[in-house]
Amino acid sequence: MDEMTVLDRFRAEVPRPGLDELRSEEARLMAAIAGADAGVDSASVRRVRLVRRGRLTIGVAGGLAAAAVAGVVVVTARGPEQGTVTHVMPVAASRVLTRAADASTGFPELRPEPGQFLVYESQTMDPVESNSAQGHARYLARSVRKVWLPVEGDSTRGVIEERTLAPRPYPGWPIPPSARRAGPNGGPEKLADFDDRAEFLRNDFAYVSRLPTEPQKMYEHLYTRLGTGPQADVEAWMRVGGLLTEAYLPSAQRVALYRAAAAIPGVTTVDRAVDAAGRAGIAAAKTVGGVRREYLFDQRTYQYLGQREVVTDAAVARAPVGSVLTSTAQLRVSVANRAPRVDS
């Protein structure tokens, strides 16, 4: 097989656009570059980013030369007071998320129905700061929690049961006596008194089941009302976490989410990461404000395990580099006909 055949077959599963579509996109992009597009002024086009989606090594004149095969999908998102913003979606930037997408269709599927609840069992660790007569204190609170969330609707109908685990010290701080006196368990109780998230940030099953199944459209969803630049990329990465934490996406949307998340600039791979339950995995990560925000997957099956934040800048995070400040482990997701009764 010659090099041109290899190039022709590379990513052959990606549908080829029609001639009319190509001409339309070409005209729109050229107009945007020139600042002449009536719908995209020159100020609203912040960047055009080409990202490699693969690398092909070819022998040239007795040596080796790397030929980068670049592929992009253009999507647009409208940010507040920013007009139309052009985003360029690279393909297959993160091997962890790409492999998670490939494996995801093989997992057993839950099929909750309206009126039912999705039940999430997890283990968590989060930093706590407190001020009292004894002074300022910090520690890492740990718990095992079970949350019932309605298949449709916001989290105000949710119920939580929580069991406290022994706290751990915040790096460089002793565990305060008040942390050790924390109650052993709580609930069932109401999960939330209000839920004021914007519609596009909902993560109940009824809503996420209607999200796009095409990666480029899911990418656009992640950047809803965002502009371009590092801060937009950070926010899009955090939104990925919102669709993974106590949320359940059907297989098609899950695959699209992983492929879209793989395209967010600055995503790296962490070859070994441990979740809150002590399970070792591999992670896709992005640095956010002095910490590395990681989404963990089983290193063999690529099933989602949980999240954690690891310090990368001691001055910003006020903790030693390498410290784990937050950690979660998704232990089980199931379906129930009803949630426990909460006493008023």
Side-chain angles (χ1 to χ4, degrees), residues 122-209:
S122 62
Q123 186 168 326
T124 66
M125 182 180 76
D126 296 289
V128 173
E129 292 194 47
S130 64
N131 288 295
S132 65
Q134 287 72 40
H136 186 69
R138 290 183 180 176
Y139 65 96
L140 298 176
R142 300 168 63 238
S143 68
V144 174
R145 55 191 272 149
K146 189 172 184 178
V147 171
W148 288 258
L149 283 172
V151 166
E152 71 285 341
D154 62 34
S155 61
T156 58
R157 292 175 53 212
V159 174
I160 182 172
E161 289 183 345
E162 193 164 19
R163 177 168 58 88
T164 301
L165 300 177
R168 289 180 179 169
Y170 192 96
W173 291 70
I175 299 176
S178 59
R180 300 187 187 278
R181 291 196 298 267
N185 54 64
E189 60 186 8
K190 190 175 183 179
L191 178 65
D193 290 322
F194 62 90
D195 188 341
D196 57 0
R197 287 176 294 181
E199 179 77 6
F200 64 88
L201 294 177
R202 286 174 52 187
N203 65 355
D204 56 288
F205 184 81
Y207 179 77
V208 300
S209 298

Side-chain angles (χ1 to χ4, degrees), residues 211-212 214-222 249 253 256-257 260:
L211 289 179
E214 301 86 356
Q216 64 270 24
K217 291 184 179 180
M218 181 66 81
Y219 188 84
E220 183 176 0
H221 172 72
L222 292 175
L249 278 68
Q253 281 80 9
L257 175 66

